[in-house]
Amino acid sequence: MFGRRQGAAAAPTAAPAPARAAPLQVPEPAAPRRPDPPAAPAPEAQRSEDYYRTKSMIFGALIEAIDLAQLARLDAETAREEIRDIVSEIIGLKNIVLSIAEQEELLDDICNDVLGYGPLEPLLARDDIADIMVNGASRTFIEVSGKIQLTNVRFRDNQQLMNICQRIVSQVGRRVDEASPICDARLPDGSRVNVIAPPLAIDGPALTIRKFKKDKLTLDQLVRFGAISPEGAQILKIIGKVRCNIVISGGTGSGKTTLLNCLTAFIEHDERVITCEDAAELQLQQPHVVRLETRPPNMEGQGQVTMRDLVKNCLRMRPERIIVGEVRGPEAFDLLQAMNTGHDGSMGTLHANSPRECLSRIESMITMGGFSLPARTLREMICGSVDVIIQATRLRDGSRRITHITEVLGMEGDVITTQDLFLYEILGEDANGKLIGRHRSTGIGRPKFWERARYYGEERALAAALDAAADQAGPAA
C-alpha cells in the first residue's frame, strides 16, 4: 500500500545480518519449552532477554522497511494492520522461530511501540488501575484497590521510555528534555501525567500517570462504595443544585477531582461554566462549558500562562460558575473574589488534611501571592466567599471516604467559625485489615444555606435529607 513490500524485502540486507543472526536463531527455540510461572501477573513475566533482543532487531528492520510519513496519514486501525503484515514478513524472512502465541504477543508489542504507548498499553487498558508509576526502564509499579504493587512491565531501555514520554507530552503541545526536564501533561481521556527526566531523575525518566476510569463515577456509585452515606449524598446534591460555593479539601489521591466531577453533574444545563486547570482532567457533561488550561514557558522562558491569569480572564468571559481544578497559589485570591461577586456555585479543590487546615491553607496561599492584607480582612473574605468545605480522605486500608461536610458560618473575633453537618467515624477494622466506620449526622437541623435552598425550591428535599440522617446513625462501611 505504501511501499511496504519493497521495504520489507530489503529488510534482511539493510540490517547487518552476521551480527544479528546468531542471537535470533539460537536462543529463541528454547523459549516455547520454558515452563510458565504458576501465578504470573502478566505476560511480561514470561519474557526473557532473548525476547527483547529479538523484538529490538525486528523493530529496527521495521523502521527501515516502512515509510513513516505515509503511515502517519493512515487511521490507527489500518496502520496497525499494515505494521502487523510487515512484521510477519520480517519474521518469515529472518527465519525466526516463534510459536503462534509468541508471534501474536510480539506483533501487539511492536504495534504499541509504533502507534501507542509501548509497554504501557496493557496497563492503560485496565480499568482497575488507579496509578501507573514508572521508575526508569526496568521498574514499573501500579496502584490497585489503594495498594501499590510491582509489575513485570519493562521497557527496552531508557531511550524507549523517553520517546514514549515525549509522545505523551507532545499531544498537548508540551515537551520534556534536558532543557525542560519536568513536565505536566495529560492523556486524551484526561488521565494526569507527570514526567521528570534526567539529569534530575538519576536512574532514568520517571513517569507517573494518574488514570481516569473509562466509566466516570457518579455520586450514587460513591454511596455504593461507602464513600458517603445516602443521606450525605442527598445533601451534596442539594449543595450543588443551590449554587453554594464549594471547596473540596483532601490529601494526594483522596479522590478530590473525582468528587468534583460528581458534583458538577448537578449544574443546570443552561448555565455557562468555565473550568481552569493545569492539565484538563474535568469532564463536564453540560452543553455550555469552556475549558481552559495553563501553559508553561517556552525555551526562552516566555509565554507562560499561569492559573491566576486564567482565573482573572474568566471574569471577562461572562461565566455563571468558575471551577478551578486545583488551587495551589495566589489564584486563591481571584477565586474568592469571583465567588463573592456574583459567580455563585463556583468550586475548587486544594490539598489539606481537615476543613480547619483548608481555611488556613487558603489564607497562606493568598499571603504567598504578595497580598499584604490584614489577617482579619482575609478571613472575612474567606467567610464571605466559601459556603461549604467537603473533606475527602484516603484511609490507611486504601479506601476513600468523605469524612466531613462542613459549613463556614462567619467570624467570632479573629477566628472563622464552622459547623460540621456530617462526619465519618472509624469504629474498628475487620480480620482482613479493612477499616469499619460509619457516616453520622451531627444533628444540625437548619444549616446556614437553608435560605438559599428555599430560594431554589429545595428546602423540602433538604429537610427530608436532614431528618433521615438524624433518624439513623448511618450504615457501617
Side-chain angles (χ1 to χ4, degrees):
M1 183 178 292
F2 54 104
R4 64 180 184 83
R5 293 289 176 185
Q6 293 86 340
T13 57
R20 297 183 183 179
L24 284 175
Q25 296 173 358
V26 177
E28 284 302 328
R33 295 192 296 272
R34 189 174 296 134
D36 293 340
E44 294 279 348
Q46 295 130 31
R47 295 177 182 173
S48 64
E49 289 299 325
D50 302 327
Y51 174 89
Y52 290 101
R53 283 198 296 270
T54 304
K55 177 181 165 185
S56 180
M57 187 279 305
I58 294 176
F59 187 83
L62 172 69
I63 295 303
E64 294 173 4
I66 62 175
D67 184 340
L68 292 175
Q70 292 191 32
L71 185 70
R73 299 192 193 104
L74 301 176
D75 63 84
E77 194 57 41
T78 305
R80 186 171 285 266
E81 287 303 317
E82 288 289 340
I83 290 171
R84 289 176 68 91
D85 289 347
I86 298 172
V87 171
S88 297
E89 289 179 14
I90 293 172
I91 290 173
L93 289 167
K94 293 283 189 181
N95 295 320
I96 301 169
V97 180
L98 292 173
S99 68
I100 294 175
E102 287 174 322
Q103 184 167 331
E104 279 299 311
E105 194 176 309
L106 187 134
L107 286 170
D108 285 339
D109 273 4
I110 291 180
C111 287
N112 289 338
D113 283 351
V114 177
L115 301 174
Y117 303 127
L120 294 177
E121 285 286 346
L123 301 182
L124 291 170
R126 287 176 55 184
D127 209 32
D128 61 328
I129 295 177
D131 287 271
I132 302 171
M133 296 150 278
V134 182
N135 303 349
S138 58
R139 292 177 72 80
T140 300
F141 295 83
I142 59 174
E143 181 194 309
V144 180
S145 302
K147 299 295 184 181
I148 293 177
Q149 52 189 256
L150 177 65
T151 71
N152 293 81
V153 172
R154 54 167 285 188
F155 296 79
R156 187 170 59 248
D157 50 33
N158 282 332
Q159 188 56 51
Q160 184 198 14
L161 174 56
M162 197 66 192
N163 291 341
I164 290 171
C165 293
Q166 286 283 15
R167 188 176 301 167
I168 291 172
V169 303
S170 64
Q171 290 179 330
V172 291
R174 301 189 178 182
R175 72 183 198 285
V176 57
D177 49 35
E178 284 193 8
S180 177
I182 300 177
C183 183
D184 285 313
R186 57 179 165 80
L187 296 176
D189 66 353
S191 296
R192 188 185 311 167
V193 177
N194 175 267
V195 180
I196 181 163
L200 301 187
I202 298 170
D203 300 320
L207 170 66
T208 309
I209 301 175
R210 171 68 55 81
K211 278 183 82 255
F212 267 24
K213 287 184 175 292
K214 294 182 178 66
D215 298 324
K216 306 304 175 191
L217 289 176
T218 64
L219 209 51
D220 292 335
Q221 286 174 306
L222 294 186
V223 171
R224 288 202 294 273
F225 297 152
I228 185 66
S229 66
E231 299 78 22
Q234 184 62 28
I235 297 293
L236 290 182
K237 290 179 184 179
I238 294 169
I239 286 171
K241 285 182 180 178
V242 305
R243 302 187 64 165
C244 290
N245 293 323
I246 300 169
V247 174
I248 299 174
S249 164
T252 299
S254 59
K256 300 186 298 298
T257 305
T258 299
L259 180 55
L260 184 57
N261 253 331
C262 291
L263 292 179
T264 59
F266 306 106
I267 296 176
E268 295 295 332
H269 281 224
D270 60 352
E271 295 182 43
R272 176 173 167 86
V273 183
I274 300 180
T275 67
C276 304
E277 301 173 84
D278 281 317
E281 303 169 70
L282 296 174
Q283 299 188 350
L284 278 67
Q285 304 304 312
Q286 286 72 16
H288 199 164
V289 177
V290 179
R291 303 168 75 207
L292 305 180
E293 190 174 57
T294 60
R295 185 176 71 182
N298 59 20
M299 295 186 71
E300 291 76 33
Q302 304 297 318
Q304 181 179 19
V305 179
T306 65
M307 183 68 78
R308 190 170 181 213
D309 296 329
L310 293 184
V311 176
K312 285 196 292 187
N313 190 73
C314 276
L315 302 177
R316 305 184 184 97
M317 297 175 66
R318 204 255 175 218
E320 289 181 288
R321 297 201 198 211
I322 296 175
I323 298 177
V324 179
E326 186 171 330
V327 182
R328 54 162 65 96
E331 67 271 9
F333 180 81
D334 300 283
L335 180 60
L336 291 184
Q337 292 278 67
M339 287 177 167
N340 207 9
T341 53
H343 304 95
D344 294 340
S346 294
M347 306 178 191
T349 73
L350 60 81
H351 283 83
N353 296 319
S354 68
R356 177 60 58 183
E357 186 181 325
C358 170
L359 297 171
S360 300
R361 285 269 295 154
I362 295 174
E363 190 176 338
S364 63
M365 285 188 290
I366 295 174
T367 305
M368 286 190 300
F371 299 98
S372 55
L373 296 172
R376 183 177 175 83
T377 303
L378 281 180
R379 291 168 190 167
E380 287 175 345
M381 180 187 297
I382 293 170
C383 289
S385 303
V386 179
D387 296 316
V388 177
I389 298 171
I390 304 171
Q391 182 71 36
T393 302
R394 178 179 171 179
L395 303 180
R396 60 182 171 85
D397 64 351
S399 61
R400 294 168 173 86
R401 298 287 184 264
I402 296 171
T403 57
H404 297 73
I405 301 177
T406 302
E407 278 194 296
V408 179
L409 297 180
M411 298 279 293
E412 283 188 6
D414 289 336
V415 179
I416 299 175
T417 58
T418 62
Q419 69 178 8
D420 297 323
L421 300 181
F422 278 82
L423 295 172
Y424 181 74
E425 293 179 336
I426 296 176
L427 304 176
E429 64 179 271
D430 61 17
N432 299 319
K434 188 83 172 172
L435 292 175
I436 300 171
R438 67 175 183 180
H439 290 91
R440 68 173 180 86
S441 167
T442 57
I444 301 296
R446 196 179 178 91
K448 185 187 175 186
F449 61 88
W450 179 272
E451 290 302 322
R452 183 184 289 270
R454 173 176 291 174
Y455 177 74
Y456 284 95
E458 294 287 339
E459 77 275 12
R460 290 188 178 179
L462 177 59
L466 291 170
D467 289 345
D471 290 342
Q472 53 185 345

